[in-house]
Each structure stands twice: as C-alpha cells, then as structure tokens.
Amino acid sequence: MQNFDEVIQRKNTNCVKYDAVKRYFKKDDVQPLWVADMDFKTPEFIVKAIQTKVAQQVFGYPEPNISLFKSIKNWMSKRHQWEIDTKDVLLVSGVVAGLSAAVEAFSSENDEVIIQTPVYYPFYSVIKNNNRTLVENPLINDNGRYSMDIEDFKSKITPKTKILILCSPHNPVGRVWKKEELKEIAKICLNFGIKIISDEIHSDIVYKKFTPIASISKDIADITLTLNSPSKTFNLAGLNSSYAICSNKNMLQKYKRIITKREIGSLNMFGLIAIETAYNEGDIWVEKLLIYLKSNISFVKDFFKKHDMMVDFENPESTYLIWLNFKGYNFTHKEIEDKLLSDAKVALNDGLSFGSNGNLYFRINIALPKKELEAALKKIFRNLKPK
Ligand SMILES: Cc1ncc(COP(=O)(O)O)c(C=O)c1O
C-alpha cells in the first residue's frame, strides 16, 4: 500500500527537480517545488512489472504489443468515456516531442499557431523552433477564475492561422474545460479550418469531470490530434513514454510521416511496460493519489488563511500545480522572486515563464509529503511579511 507521506531522498539521484536546481535557479540550498513530477514513489505494481523485465537481464529492441494499445483504449473508455480505435494510436517519445511534430505536420513555415496564455512554456518553443508565428489568445482572469476569451480568439484568426494548441486540462491555471467551452472553441476551429492539437497529459489528475475534446463529436475528432501519457499521473516522466490519438486517417498519416522523419516513434521497453501496467492496474491507485493531492491543496488554502497570508489562488480543478497570485503584497515580481528564492529558499516556477500575464504569479508543485509541504509553506510565511 502506497504511503504518500513517505519522504524519498531524491537529491543526488540525477533528477531534474533536485539536481538541476542549481542550473535553473543559481542556488542549491533551496527546496524544489517546481518541475511537474511528484515526490512520491511510482506505484509498486509498475515497479514490479519493470523489475520482472530487469530480472530477464536482456534489454534488446522491444516490440510494442497490441495489448499496449488495448490498455490505452480501455483506459480512455473507462476513465473518460471516450471510445477510440487502437489503430488511431501512435506512440511518441514525449508529449513535447509530439507537440513539436504536430506543429510541423499541420502547418507550414510562417503559418500562425494560437496558444492560450499563460501556458506551459514549451508551447512557445515548439512554435518558434518550427519557424511558425506564435499568436497569443490570453485567457480571461476573473478574480482568479480563468476562462477562454472567445472574442479575442476570433479576432486573432487570419488566413494563416492553422493550429490551436489546447492545454486541456490547463497548466498552469488548473482549469478542466467544460464541454460547452470546448464545443465553442472547436466550432470556431471547424469554421476556419484550424486544426486542434490537444495536450491532455493532465487529464487523469482531475477533481471534476474531464472531457477529451475529440470525444465530443465526429466533426471535432476530425480536426483534432490528442497527445497524452500516463507520466504525470503515475510519476513516469523519466521514461519518455507518450502517445497520440487521431481518428482522421489523413491527419494521422501526415503526423506519422513527421514522427518517422524525426525518429521519435520508438519508446524504450520500460516505457512500454509502464504505460500498459499503469492503464491496466492503475484505477484504484489514481483514486488514492487524488485524495492525497486534494488534501494537500486544502492544506495550502487553510495554511494561507490561518496565517492571514495575502497569497491567493483559485482551487485547481486539475493537476498538482497551484497558480499562486502574490498581487496582495505590495512587492514587484522580482522582489517576490527574491523573497521566495533567497529568503524562504524555495524554488517555485516563475509565473513569467508561462507568459507576460504571469506577472506576480508563481506556480507551486504540491505533489509531495504533507510534512515537506508544510515546511515549505512555513518558510514562505516567515519571509513574506507585507511592507
Ligand atoms: C501540459 C504539459 N504538456 C507536456 C508536459 C511534458 O510532457 P513530456 O515530458 O511527455 O514531454 C508537461 C509537463 O509538465 C505539461 O505540463
């Protein structure tokens, strides 16, 4: 039985979250609450499946089995009531790698790609590095509750607009888009011939009903390529194992050509095992994880309230990431950053890395044992006194 309270030593184990802190933050004595992986053990049933393979002591080229594709199909059906065909699934070695390939597949140089900011920072780089034009459709922030700005979206469309990269659920603002919201944006994409690349990597860490955009209708599925992975949910990011789903054969074929050209369609054998095992055996584990994460979110809320802190946030509907608003303090963004990093010695993601509308925001990762979370919050509290 998993003990989410167990503290695991990750420092000096070649992991980004702890061991790249110095490189990213220029400090090494800070508690890492940034990159999106969890300080929990990967579930035992997945570790055991990998150990069985390790025990064989042969690590030659792996061949994905149909049972892997069936596990993805079954997971989508039982968790999200989305009926997919195994033939519509393509393996990709990472969601970001898959996003970049999709940008290349569905647009040409200098075409426009729309993103809804603030958003996961590689959304910017996959557009720029493919020499496409990045167009921002900033989300509306209504007192911490974010929504899509449909009018602004419409106004940004030109004949060169080819793709919307949707973050669903949304990182960092934590929204699980309602079916109606997805329908509305998809309708415009349908009208204007815009393809949707939907990054649904956070879709299993949700505290309300999640709807895959491609599950809404055949028309929408026809313009959508979805990317997903069990990596966030089961803490498998180091295995670089993801997949794309697309029921439009034409789109899938185009996409496959780019995946092949970029040589990013082969997963390592542990990744293949991990996906299949996670999806076949992971239901109960996810429920337990969600309970722990929810209690950590409440813990943060209660802590801020109890200590009269002026850090504010809307409860995330998804993810273990909280988008903290520091506007209540009379400090500049840089001052907040210094207080967090140099005084409190905690490393949060800088809100500005998600977009210019991330000013005075920092993103905290709360997927860690409560005791460690409490230690971090205490340090923030002690070092964040109002002017
Ligand atoms: C929205 C989103 N997409 C993709 C990723 C990363 O995916 P991968 O590690 O498979 O490239 C993350 C990780 O935080 C994420 O938040």
Side-chain angles (χ1 to χ4, degrees), residues 36 94-97 120 123 167 171 199 201-202 231-232 242:
V95 166
V96 173
Y120 179 56
F123 279 29
C167 198
N171 171 14
D199 177 340
I201 196 167
H202 294 281
S231 60
K232 296 288 145 196
S242 337

Side-chain angles (χ1 to χ4, degrees), residues 24-57:
Y24 279 92
F25 297 93
K26 315 283 174 251
K27 307 246 174 231
D28 55 7
D29 57 346
V30 292
Q31 186 180 355
L33 302 153
W34 62 303
V35 70
D37 68 22
M38 306 192 281
D39 289 340
F40 307 137
K41 282 185 177 165
T42 293
E44 200 180 351
F45 52 87
I46 299 178
V47 174
K48 277 199 172 138
I50 290 174
Q51 279 167 343
T52 304
K53 186 70 201 172
V54 171
Q56 190 202 9
Q57 301 181 39

